[in-house]
Amino acid sequence: MTSLGRIYVPGDAAAVSVGADRVAQRIADVVATRGIDAEIVRTGTRGMLWMEPLVEIDAPGGRIGFGPVSEHDVADLLALGRAHPLCIGPVAAHPFLATQQRVTFARCGVVDPTSVDEYRRHAGLRGLYRALDLGPEAIVEAVTESGLRGRGGAGFPTGIKWQTVARTPADARFVVCNADEGDSGTFADRMLMEGDPFALIEGMVIAGLAVGAERGFVYIRSEYPYAIRRMQEAVDTARRDGFLGRDLLGSGHHFDIEIRRGAGAYICGEETALLESLEGRRGQVRPKPPLPAISGLFGRPTVVNNVLTLAAVPTILAEGSAYYRDLGVGRSRGTMPIQLSGNVARGGLVERAFGLTLREIVEEYGGGTRSGRPVRAVQVGGPLGAYWPTALLDTPFDYEAFLERGGMIGHGGVVVFDDSVDLAEQARFAFEFCAEESCGKCTPCRLGATRGRETMERILAGERIEPNIELVRDLCEVMRDGSLCALGGLTPMPVLSALEHFHEDFARR
Amino acid sequence: MPVVRAPSLPRMASPSTHLEFDAERVREIARRWSDRDGGLLPALLEINDRFGHVDARAVPILAEALNRSRAEVHGVLSFYHDLRTEPPARHTVALCQGEACQAVGATRLLAEIRQAGLDDHDVQVAPVYCLGNCALGPCALVDGELVARLDRTQLIGCLS
């Protein structure tokens, strides 16, 4: 009987969207028909998304990969092995992966995300055991020392936030994971929840220990049905395994997690709107202060952190804060999972220490555009992020370097556009999106977005272009300075960056 | 020989499995969520999933069970895109119009689909802003199933 050992097929939604389930089914059929001894493992994705479905097979010296595989390739692939034309050789040695620094995503695409045993074998729960030894104050200190900042977009120092929650007197505290990953061009939260859900759970338990919270919520957007199911299963598994729930790991500490589904409102990615939604209300933004760390969910001190922030915590505890802090540059410490998408030849997830340039991301990892035309603009940081011209591609990926040049790294989304893009149209879209998703609480955002869209429509129609551009600038200033939250406050960023770097698109009507 | 079967994306309840309005079932759902913190939104989502939409008759039932005013329940119901007050079409296509999909032609694709007359009482085509599959655009959720690298022919194929 032939033995192939384990065959790995991603079960991640991205892989499934291009046929991974059909490939896995076909492999199961061929293996059964030919009497091959093999086990099919559904992993997360490695993040080489242009190559999905990427099938891997155990081999001496590391797994070898094949991609992109369709169900029609399966029979030949299993017969020919390395000799098959889709073979890319050892996966970990692929140039797209070999130069990455996978810290948060070390297990994603490698392990079976449903298996706690495999999680433990790949360094899982080491951070939690360490945290239990350290106690609350030393955990907060370790996270502060690591230099970890919020990966959701705002970049607030995580240790400081935790300390505030821990020190605020209260009868209860909460840990809320913001998994409402609504920024277009971002998918790292989804990838992690589907490919390594226990890492997020472990991070949340550690946060709970650090601040003295016994309940946590993961608020996941409804557009991620598979991530919701995977997280729900993982929470049930973690509870059965004993590292979640009452007296976790026999420590005498309690912490439990509830998964909550969003209902299709982008604004619920804003932390105070998310809290309103969790409380069962309209997802409208709350004025700050009070900060959620002082008065958050149900009026109690609450840690609200993004998926990637919480998932970075176990490694910081397990390896020590110096390990994490020594990666990165300036005040941007550790690694950033960068999501490369849009019109790009090789789209996917690139986790690297801060400091690599936008050019390396777009040209070396991305390989230029999918259409083969020249790159013209790159939007970084989601729909509220700036449009960058190619002249600025040497900007290092770092919170401060981006701020200095009028942009932001946000949640790490990098969307590539070729030379067919019309930046005046993109500016109009930025207003339209804001109008569509505004919660309506504050006037600059609610009305400004609509007036902005109308004014951009006039510019696009060639009406009084220069005076209307002046109006748009004026409106942007009001929205930036007068809005309650980042939706209204940052919509000017894509608009003004488009105006600044691509003025010809506005003027040529 | 342990063969792990392919887990597939959870299918949303399709219109054929949606139930007719039933006050007793709504009351049962509302009761189940009434003692949970922030239970109104999950209760509305469950009703929306089960019946395909939230019938106006469900509002007073929820208000009473969750001790909220009808205005509050209506406020929540009318805020979220996912919550419907009318039954859905037989097929739904949520076609991503986020920037990453725009960069690979999603705007044109939406216009083409609408022009092709596919957006009628049988098929509802609606824009959605990001499905988290940005490296493989244009993407859509067709009856709740994620499909990627779409063009006009493929999308029409998905529907017929």
Side-chain angles (χ1 to χ4, degrees), chain B residues 18-22 25-26 47-53:
Chain B
H18 288 151
L19 305 172
E20 286 295 317
F21 179 80
D22 174 344
R25 269 175 189 272
V26 171
I47 291 166
N48 198 64
D49 287 348
R50 191 78 63 82
F51 302 95
H53 70 292

Side-chain angles (χ1 to χ4, degrees), chain A residues 349-364:
Chain A
L349 184 107
V350 178
E351 184 178 0
R352 279 277 301 265
F354 285 98
L356 80 166
T357 66
L358 204 43
R359 188 179 304 283
E360 283 174 84
I361 299 167
V362 173
E363 293 178 2
E364 287 172 33

